Amino acid sequence: MADIDRRIAALVSWSRTKDKSKRTKAARDTFLARFEREVDPEGVLPPEQRRERAEAAKRAYMLRLAKRSAQARKKND
């Protein structure tokens, strides 16, 4: 399948998706689990505290990505 055909198929699929949040939940949970393992590798923290720390680690990760993106755009100007 050509790249354009895959893109079309993906857009058609998303256009037919009633609950986008439900469709992406497994991926979001897996992504957050990465940060939970990062902040609590031994799994000793209470779940609420582990989740809170993981969310903070995820926000820091996203800010680092945004910073690198801004630096790359500035470099290309």
Side-chain angles (χ1 to χ4, degrees), residues 29-44:
D29 289 346
T30 300
F31 188 56
L32 186 59
R34 166 193 170 178
F35 297 103
E36 288 182 350
R37 287 188 304 274
E38 180 182 305
V39 300
D40 187 21
E42 287 84 33
V44 296

Side-chain angles (χ1 to χ4, degrees), residues 20-77:
K20 291 174 177 57
S21 180
K22 181 179 177 183
R23 181 173 169 180
T24 60
K25 184 175 182 347
R28 286 182 284 116
D29 289 346
T30 300
F31 188 56
L32 186 59
R34 166 193 170 178
F35 297 103
E36 288 182 350
R37 287 188 304 274
E38 180 182 305
V39 300
D40 187 21
E42 287 84 33
V44 296
L45 292 174
E48 291 174 5
Q49 189 176 19
R50 182 173 42 251
R51 175 63 56 117
E52 184 178 306
R53 289 182 182 192
E55 290 287 353
K58 183 177 79 169
R59 285 192 302 274
Y61 172 82
M62 294 302 206
L63 282 173
R64 284 192 293 274
L65 285 180
K67 180 181 176 182
R68 288 199 321 246
S69 176
Q71 289 170 336
R73 287 192 311 275
K74 186 174 182 179
K75 180 180 176 182
N76 291 329
D77 284 342

Side-chain angles (χ1 to χ4, degrees), residues 4-35:
I4 191 74
D5 292 328
R6 285 191 296 272
R7 291 175 61 196
I8 290 168
L11 289 170
V12 169
S13 176
W14 279 109
S15 74
R16 295 177 179 164
T17 299
K18 292 179 181 166
D19 189 346
K20 291 174 177 57
S21 180
K22 181 179 177 183
R23 181 173 169 180
T24 60
K25 184 175 182 347
R28 286 182 284 116
D29 289 346
T30 300
F31 188 56
L32 186 59
R34 166 193 170 178
F35 297 103

